[in-house]
Amino acid sequence: MPSRRGEDLEYKVFRMIKNRGDKGILQSQLWKRIKATSREGSRISLRLERAGLIERRRELHEGKWTYRLVAKKRAVNPLSILDLPCAFCPNQDKCGLGGPVSPASCPLLAQWVEKTAYEASKGKVKAEVDEELEA
Amino acid sequence: MGMGDPGKGLLMRVKSTDGEILRLVASKIGGEVAVKLVSELKKRGRATEDDLAKNTNIKLNELRKTLFTLQKFSIITPEIVQDKGSGWMIFYWRLREDQLESIIRTQKRRVLEKLRERLEYEREHDFYVCVNPRCGVRYTFEEAMERMFRCSKCGSPLEHYDNTQIIAVLEDKIAKLEAEIKRE
């Protein structure tokens, strides 16, 4: 069973891999960063793989076979919701269909939906014009 | 369909470090005041309201309002400690940075729920819109009937409104969020 320190290191390694997103990180580079031996490192990566947290992809790097470690789960990113009025809305608990505040009647959500629909249709028209010009 | 994703541009501008994410979330919750408070708490670990007011120059009533909003979303938590010397209880605020990921995950699920409800509403109703471009109020078929197809705001006639694009935008955003939640 890994020690508490070992668990912390595993968590740290997992966070590092996760923060690299789709690119992942080469096993050999990662061990240099955390100053671990390749033996220690391999053990950690195997444990993470067995726990279903990462994927190890075999890769040839500078003439040597190594593994690229890629997290199965991505780092949580709030950017996709921050432009939406519902994210962190003070009325969130009261909001629901038929309630005093509702996603159906919310003026802020209506504004967002209409603006996004308008921008999308503008983008679509532009793409069509570009296609026609190219043709 | 290539819907524009406003978050994408932002993603390219900011580095997705934890500090940046915390700043973005704080700014969304309480604007510049919340950003100042969160940065101060990040620096100090925990702080009393007086310390925060002194170091950020934010008015006490505005500071309290923002602190309670930040607490509502679990970004900060109160901590009551007894002073060893005087025996007085001291009320601190502490940043819950370790909870940030789960807070964002919860918000994503809630936003998704609201978008699904809006989509359901858009799909189930037929809409009419005021022809006056300066007014543009939208009514459901039932509301338009009650008003004899005249806008109750400006008196202009109402015409049928095609909400296909709105449905497409909602479906697109819902699909993206669902995929993101699954990945994270």
Side-chain angles (χ1 to χ4, degrees), chain A residues 41-107:
Chain A
S42 300
R43 278 189 188 161
I44 294 173
S45 74
L46 274 169
R47 269 202 294 269
L48 290 173
E49 190 188 34
R50 251 180 267 138
L53 295 169
I54 63 161
E55 221 178 288
R56 293 184 341 137
R57 298 178 192 154
R58 209 158 173 245
E59 194 176 303
L60 194 61
H61 179 70
E62 291 172 356
K64 281 182 186 170
W65 283 104
T66 178
Y67 284 97
R68 182 170 291 277
L69 311 178
V70 184
K72 284 188 174 171
K73 294 267 179 192
R74 296 287 176 268
V76 175
N77 200 322
L79 296 173
S80 59
I81 53 164
L82 287 183
D83 63 316
L84 274 148
C86 308
F88 298 100
C89 172
N91 290 322
Q92 221 169 49
D93 299 336
K94 288 180 252 169
C95 182
L97 286 182
V101 186
S102 155
S105 60
C106 175

